Amino acid sequence: MPEVVHRRALIAGAAAAVALPSLSRAQAWPSGAVRLVVPFAPGGSTDLAARLVADGLAQRLGVPVVVENRPGAGATTGSQMVADAAPDGQTLVMSNIASHAISPALYGNRVRYDAVRSFTHIAMVITNPSVWVVNPRSEIANLADLVRIAKTRRGGLDMASSGAGSSNHLLLVRFSDLAGIEHTHVPFRGAGPAMTAVIAAQVPMMSDSLPSAAGHIRQGSVRAIAMSSAERHPAFPDVPTFREQGFDLVSTSWFALSGPAGMPAPIVERLHRETMAVIATPEARQRFAEMGGSPGDMTSAQFSAFVASEVERWAPVVRASGATAD
């Protein structure tokens, strides 16, 4: 055999040998229950989106997809667990704007993972605006009331969110800067506990993602006073936007499916395909509409590029806001 041909054959053989373990893992996947980590407490938008996806994937994959809530440190605790997991497709995370765009800048060196390189970004699931809600018995009927009351209180108004590092936390900071008011951020370990506190009148108001607040608004257990969408949301046409009330704020959250870096391409491709099939069903689209969200439509490559752009977008915003995780 000529030397050049022999060398090419050796290279091809070596490449095939390297690919075999990855291909073998992909063919055997899933090997039992898949764990889907939610880096927030139950009841919030991330949790709701995760459970919808988990139910659909379980049916399509033929194995249980178990949702595991691991809140803490602005969604970085659960995300770090997944970054450290084996890249075999058995452990995934419901990545989101907090865990992969805001918290890395907010927590600095305390975050050990790289939002882009430490993960395999698989599929965008849902995007949605934020909504501000108050207890229905509150004297706050709109943003003008909120600003007026905040200016009469030492330290400003107590404002809750699903946790330090969430997009809703940063929205509170940006609004307070624009309005020229002070506020005391009251972070909870998820939107569910924060909403419970608002309903019980333990805190005056909260900034929440629309999917987790939608049911409470419809039930009348809270009253919505502002929406962060560019225009009024079709599901809640009576809720005015920030812009309508004189504050040029537009903010959108996102929730997606990611795994550890280095996952085999066949597993990533199948997970993306099955996730897109789940969120394309009439049942899922109806549920998303009820939640006030829009289903994702990115390829895995587009989603990876999107996460990188979100990191670049939010890091300077966090620095300029002066927000901290403390």
Side-chain angles (χ1 to χ4, degrees), residues 188-204:
F188 285 80
R189 291 171 67 85
M195 182 64 72
T196 298
V198 174
I199 293 171
Q202 295 170 346
V203 291

Side-chain angles (χ1 to χ4, degrees), residues 23-85:
L23 181 60
S24 177
R25 288 197 303 270
Q27 290 174 337
W29 183 85
S31 58
V34 173
R35 179 171 63 160
L36 177 54
V37 174
V38 174
F40 286 108
S45 297
T46 316
D47 185 66
L48 293 172
R51 292 180 188 279
L52 190 153
V53 170
D55 289 345
L57 285 179
Q59 295 179 26
R60 300 187 68 85
L61 298 177
V63 297
V65 178
V66 181
V67 173
E68 183 176 327
N69 295 89
R70 288 298 183 100
T76 64
T77 300
S79 300
Q80 185 66 61
M81 284 180 53
V82 176
D84 293 338

Side-chain angles (χ1 to χ4, degrees), residues 261-287:
M263 288 176 56
I267 294 179
V268 176
E269 291 165 4
R270 186 177 178 197
L271 269 172
H272 179 271
R273 184 172 65 252
E274 302 293 10
T275 301
M276 291 296 100
V278 169
I279 66 176
T281 62
E283 295 79 12
R285 290 186 176 270
Q286 179 180 347
R287 180 66 179 128

Side-chain angles (χ1 to χ4, degrees), residues 210-289:
L210 184 55
S212 62
H216 299 286
I217 296 170
R218 290 192 176 98
Q219 292 167 8
S221 52
V222 294
R223 182 171 67 244
I225 62 171
M227 192 85 71
S228 72
S229 48
E231 300 177 348
R232 292 203 182 198
H233 198 283
F236 296 92
D238 295 334
V239 181
T241 66
F242 281 86
R243 281 181 170 174
E244 287 181 82
Q245 299 181 70
F247 299 94
D248 190 16
L249 283 177
V250 176
S251 179
T252 302
S253 297
W254 53 267
F255 308 92
L257 192 67
S258 301
M263 288 176 56
I267 294 179
V268 176
E269 291 165 4
R270 186 177 178 197
L271 269 172
H272 179 271
R273 184 172 65 252
E274 302 293 10
T275 301
M276 291 296 100
V278 169
I279 66 176
T281 62
E283 295 79 12
R285 290 186 176 270
Q286 179 180 347
R287 180 66 179 128
F288 282 169

Side-chain angles (χ1 to χ4, degrees), residues 37-236:
V37 174
V38 174
F40 286 108
S45 297
T46 316
D47 185 66
L48 293 172
R51 292 180 188 279
L52 190 153
V53 170
D55 289 345
L57 285 179
Q59 295 179 26
R60 300 187 68 85
L61 298 177
V63 297
V65 178
V66 181
V67 173
E68 183 176 327
N69 295 89
R70 288 298 183 100
T76 64
T77 300
S79 300
Q80 185 66 61
M81 284 180 53
V82 176
D84 293 338
D88 54 9
Q90 297 297 136
T91 303
L92 307 170
V93 64
M94 207 67 188
S95 52
N96 55 83
I97 190 173
S99 62
H100 284 72
I102 296 175
S103 287
L106 198 67
Y107 283 80
N109 293 333
R110 282 178 284 177
V111 177
R112 293 189 291 108
Y113 61 78
D114 182 289
V116 179
R117 292 190 290 271
S118 300
F119 296 88
T120 300
H121 294 299
I122 301 165
M124 177 66 76
V125 173
I126 184 174
T127 61
N128 59 264
S130 294
V131 61
W132 284 15
V133 298
V134 299
N135 185 281
R137 296 179 297 280
S138 171
E139 59 183 310
I140 301 173
N142 49 48
L143 294 180
D145 288 343
L146 187 152
V147 171
R148 173 179 53 80
I149 293 170
K151 287 182 175 180
T152 67
R153 299 185 181 181
R154 181 183 296 273
L157 198 67
D158 288 348
M159 298 183 177
S161 79
S162 58
S166 66
S167 58
N168 288 299
H169 169 205
L170 208 56
L171 186 59
L172 293 172
V173 174
R174 293 170 63 194
F175 175 82
S176 295
D177 288 343
L178 278 178
I181 61 172
E182 294 183 345
H183 79 275
T184 299
H185 180 222
V186 184
F188 285 80
R189 291 171 67 85
M195 182 64 72
T196 298
V198 174
I199 293 171
Q202 295 170 346
V203 291
M205 58 83 63
M206 76 171 291
S207 176
D208 195 11
S209 295
L210 184 55
S212 62
H216 299 286
I217 296 170
R218 290 192 176 98
Q219 292 167 8
S221 52
V222 294
R223 182 171 67 244
I225 62 171
M227 192 85 71
S228 72
S229 48
E231 300 177 348
R232 292 203 182 198
H233 198 283
F236 296 92

